[in-house]
Amino acid sequence: MDELLIIGAGIVGLATARAVLERTPDAKITILEKADAVATGQTGHNSGVVHAGLYYAPGSLKAELCREGRLATIEFCEANGVPLGRIGKLVVATDELEVERLGALAARAAANGIEIERIGAEALSELEPNISGRAAVLSPGTGIVDYGLVARTMQAQLEASGVRVVFGADVVSIDERSGAGGGEVRVRTADGAEYRAERLVACAGLQADRIARLGGLPADFRIIPFRGEYFELDGRAELVRHLIYPVPDPSMPFLGVHLSPTIDGRITVGPNAVLGFAREGYRRGAISPADTFDYLRYPGFWRMAVRHRRAAVVEARNSLLRRSYLAECRRYAPELRLDDLGERFAGVRAQAVRRDGTLVEDFLFERTARQLHVCNAPSPAATSAIPIGRLIAERLVEQAA
């Protein structure tokens, strides 16, 4: 019997195994992954940004874990030869209202202890000649990386340390047992295999609510999938040197369309955030009737939809009309043209929504006597993965005490 079972071989699941081994090098750990490789979900479908933590409410778990995670990610990459770009980020204000909002963002960054520099239009033009704005905040600590490569590097190290990673392991049941002589958790997969361990950690991402319910937790939330659609810019690899972000609109639930240089030399534009019809629907037009029916029958979905109806209309329009999508970027990159928008691809965000329709903004952990479930791991989860893993390892020790 294993000491620990982990469901999910995304970056958070892998970082959790790594953190447990830091505490107990001879721990017997098995990771169950339903795909045929690590990092096939949210870990492998994102902008690749190593966030500094500008946006998050001071004192929140998001803010704390992001600060720690940026440093831990840099340390991991430097120690293991993983390419990392320390290119910095510019949050660009294009009108007076955004300049005012930029001030509030700068105050929040300062409260979080994040290094920033406020710059005017002239300095912005010197840093980025192709970007237009009235003012900006420069975050020099923001970087870029390939999180898929980070995850594969972790996998290799874990397997070399004796961790077993089982692919094609689609979990269908979880049975937690207790008794006078101790207890265990039994997990069965779709192929009929059974795995037993003293404890279980679920890092199931887009399936977090379903796995939590299998484990007997009330899971009073639903994962609603939001597609984040990107374009690769054709022939415009020299357009910008920094990450370029708009000033967040507080009436919109997500950060907005941004320009992202990637570690392999491309530039992507995106993402938007449109309602998905499949939890793992990375292909355009993907539909899962089961996934769609699951959230349509959930009262929290309809309350969320009413609350964010304006955002839904804007995002749907941008998804359907390339010109509308382009207009979002031309506010700060006016020379972009329609034919610059090349290959289209997407990620899917696992957004936890409560019954009252509110979005779960921070990390959410739920547990039983022998299980710990990561129920919501929003951005910046990839940046924060290493300290998230250490936090989980600490909580496992508390459970065992």
Side-chain angles (χ1 to χ4, degrees):
M1 183 169 67
D2 289 331
E3 293 173 48
L4 179 65
L5 276 175
I6 296 174
I7 299 174
I11 193 168
V12 174
L14 297 166
T16 297
R18 184 173 178 268
V20 171
L21 286 181
E22 286 177 349
R23 287 176 169 269
T24 313
D26 58 349
K28 190 176 180 183
I29 302 172
T30 295
I31 302 175
L32 304 179
E33 170 55 54
K34 73 173 185 175
D36 59 3
V38 303
T40 62
Q42 295 178 104
T43 301
H45 296 85
N46 56 58
S47 302
V49 178
V50 182
H51 291 280
L54 301 183
Y55 307 104
Y56 315 124
S60 67
L61 203 52
K62 261 190 180 184
E64 178 185 342
L65 291 174
C66 188
R67 284 196 306 270
E68 295 176 13
R70 184 185 74 87
L71 297 175
T73 300
I74 291 170
E75 180 182 5
F76 179 88
C77 291
E78 290 178 342
N80 294 282
V82 176
L84 177 79
R86 303 195 192 193
I87 63 173
K89 173 167 71 176
L90 286 161
V91 183
V92 178
T94 58
D95 58 34
E96 285 306 313
L97 176 59
E98 289 188 347
V99 170
E100 182 179 334
R101 289 173 176 167
L102 196 67
L105 178 64
R108 173 167 284 195
N112 280 327
I114 308 301
E115 179 190 0
I116 61 163
E117 180 184 348
R118 297 194 66 172
I119 61 176
E122 184 176 345
L124 173 62
S125 181
E126 291 176 0
L127 286 173
E128 292 288 358
N130 297 316
I131 297 301
S132 176
R134 297 192 180 190
V137 161
L138 171 64
S139 167
T142 303
I144 53 174
V145 76
D146 178 350
Y147 283 113
L149 179 56
V150 172
R152 292 189 294 274
T153 304
M154 286 184 177
Q155 176 198 0
Q157 294 178 349
L158 291 170
E159 290 180 326
S161 298
V163 173
R164 179 172 56 149
V165 185
V166 181
F167 296 108
D170 188 4
V171 173
V172 295
S173 72
I174 301 172
D175 181 17
E176 181 176 337
R177 303 184 179 191
S178 59
E184 65 177 9
V185 182
R186 294 186 181 184
V187 173
R188 188 174 295 275
T189 54
D191 59 4
E194 184 178 82
Y195 302 86
R196 300 166 57 210
E198 296 174 12
R199 304 194 177 278
L200 178 141
V201 170
C203 305
L206 285 152
Q207 305 297 335
D209 55 342
R210 291 172 175 165
I211 295 298
R213 290 197 296 272
L214 285 179
L217 283 80
D220 192 21
F221 65 93
R222 283 292 185 279
I223 295 296
I224 309 295
F226 284 90
R227 281 174 55 85
E229 298 169 328
Y230 298 82
F231 291 94
E232 184 174 333
L233 295 186
D234 281 343
R236 305 304 302 269
E238 304 302 319
L239 181 69
V240 292
R241 297 186 294 271
H242 300 75
L243 293 151
I244 308 295
Y245 277 59
V247 177
D249 181 344
S251 70
M252 302 290 277
F254 303 121
L255 287 180
V257 174
H258 44 268
L259 293 171
S260 302
T262 65
I263 200 67
D264 59 0
R266 299 172 294 120
I267 293 181
T268 65
V269 54
N272 58 2
V274 294
L275 183 65
F277 299 103
R279 294 201 185 198
E280 289 152 8
Y282 297 103
R283 177 180 53 82
R284 188 168 174 80
I287 297 176
S288 165
D291 289 348
T292 304
F293 180 67
D294 187 49
Y295 65 70
L296 288 178
R297 66 181 181 177
Y298 183 61
F301 167 75
W302 296 104
R303 293 175 179 130
M304 176 201 69
V306 170
R307 185 173 295 153
H308 295 290
R309 57 190 180 276
R310 172 180 169 268
V313 170
V314 171
E315 297 288 9
R317 181 192 66 204
N318 291 347
S319 177
L320 293 170
L321 303 174
R322 291 166 72 103
R323 288 187 182 278
S324 181
Y325 194 108
L326 178 67
E328 294 289 327
C329 286
R330 292 194 62 177
R331 293 171 52 236
Y332 52 80
E335 71 169 65
L336 282 176
R337 303 180 305 274
L338 197 61
D339 57 6
D340 290 329
L341 301 183
E343 182 181 353
R344 192 171 191 156
F345 59 99
V348 181
R349 180 197 310 264
Q351 178 61 59
V353 178
R354 295 198 183 276
R355 188 168 291 272
D356 64 0
T358 57
L359 306 181
V360 181
E361 300 286 359
D362 212 341
F363 294 99
L364 176 64
F365 302 92
E366 300 286 352
R367 58 186 175 181
T368 67
R370 294 189 172 274
Q371 300 177 58
L372 192 153
H373 290 248
V374 182
C375 294
N376 193 55
S379 178
T383 299
S384 307
I386 293 174
I388 291 172
R390 289 172 179 158
L391 176 64
I392 292 170
E394 290 172 6
R395 294 188 177 184
L396 290 175
V397 171
E398 292 171 3
Q399 279 183 313

